[in-house]
Amino acid sequence: MKKSILLLCAMVVFLFGNLYAQKGKNNTLSQQKGHEILFNIKDSKDKLVYLVIHYNDKLILKDSTTPIAPGKFLFKGTNRYDDGMYSLVSGDKKLYLNFIIDRNQHFEYNLDTTTNVDNFSTKNSPENEEMLKFQRRTAIAQKSANEWSKKYKEFDAAGQKDSADYYKGKLNKINDEMLDFINHEIIEKHPDYLFSKMQKSYLQIEIPEILKEDGTPNYDAQAAYYRTHYWDNFDLGDHRFIYIPSFDPKLKDYFTKLLYHQESDTINKYIDMFLAKTAEDTFMYHYCVDWLSYQFETSKILGHDAVFCHIAKTNQLAGKCYWMDEDLISKYEKRIKRLEPILIGKIAPELIIPDTNLYDDARLWKSSYKLSKPYTILWFYDPNCPTCKKESKALRQVYDSLETIGQRNFDVYAIGNDDTIEAWKKYVKENNYPWTNVGGNKGNIDYLDYFGIYESGNPAMFIINSKHEIILNKRIDMHNLPQFIREYEKIEQNKAERLNSQGTDK
């Protein structure tokens, strides 16, 4: 919390309204309209206090007010605040209080400037009273835990195992008692409270022991179980999670760490599973679709463009995103149409393009399919582009070094993109590149359009395997080419074995 509150200091002050006009099932209004929340802050000399809401990993300013009397601050209005976890912050950016605003938005809170929860109380807010009980219980447990932890470290450092184990046991008991309190006194007694749902979301997923046929642990199956059950303690059909601190870190951990380097088909599977859980709440679904689309469209990770295409085809282009107008849908359609043909695993078309490298009076058209090595690098460049020149030289170094030791396993099909054929011919001859050089902006297909060069620009790189499948559709450091191909071959070689031992995700 202290780290988050610092963001407020550098934040541009603005009012944070609803992200979207439509909300889901959990936006049931109470009989009372608007909001009226009174904070009585004993010994406060503040001339202004702020009301901020938790959103993503930030605290966003929602409202502010001046005192109606010394130490009395009233937030009153005809609109209703978004349900979520809020903080009350002093004029000098000091955190006073974390509390819940939910369906009931007419209540009173008593506190003081010491931020000691023992001195806090609330009126007409049962959920915040439960939160206070938790905070008081936590404060007591933390005090004991600090004492036992200090004792444990002292005896452990002195090598007195029996005494160290005794205090370790006391620490475990405190932890067990808090878990029991959270489960039985908070989650079970008040399952619909937002605070209860937040506490449940912090609980760890218990992974069962899964063994292989030989009796050894099946770690792949356990990992699959964890991926599948990761969201069990989250009510993803409740958009209020967007405004509590536990959601954003879990969202990022799942999609940018746990699944980030999985194959695109695996990521797609879990995205579909995740979004299905949000479908009951249109606001939550909207938020998550937008978040995922941006995350994978802008990702630099190989294969994530395929994930973005899958998200768009099964959501934005499937008529599920009510908030999108025809122009935006059209932009998605064009984007997907551009990306899909050149995704990893797609068959690259045969290119037949003129070779003017050695022929002044006649043209010899050469095929990208009729090369001898198991891999083909399609290298798109402009002879007038400084980056292209630099990268072409780096490619030549890798090419020659592998050729010298007899380990070159790729051919280069270099496609010069220059309207001035004579200038292009001159460039190729001066550099004496040993690979297939074609260009002149003519060929059997509009290859610049097909491979998205008009959009991406030069230079661009694709690697094709012996089956003409695209295995790389992004430019990488030329000196990493041998390693990339080795890793690709290793993955292909072990894929069948890995899939057999992975275990099903259920």
Side-chain angles (χ1 to χ4, degrees), residues 195-219:
F195 181 69
S196 298
K197 291 188 176 186
M198 182 175 75
Q199 288 303 312
K200 184 178 180 180
S201 71
Y202 286 121
L203 298 179
Q204 295 294 318
I205 298 298
E206 295 185 7
I207 303 174
E209 183 181 26
I210 305 175
L211 303 178
K212 297 179 181 179
E213 292 183 1
D214 62 4
T216 59
N218 192 332
Y219 296 117

Side-chain angles (χ1 to χ4, degrees), residues 329-354:
I329 291 174
S330 178
K331 289 179 180 179
Y332 268 92
E333 288 174 341
K334 291 178 182 178
R335 179 75 172 138
I336 300 307
K337 184 179 180 181
R338 171 71 65 201
L339 286 175
E340 270 205 304
I342 54 175
L343 295 176
I344 302 297
K346 295 289 185 177
I347 300 296
E350 181 179 18
L351 302 182
I352 305 176
I353 307 174

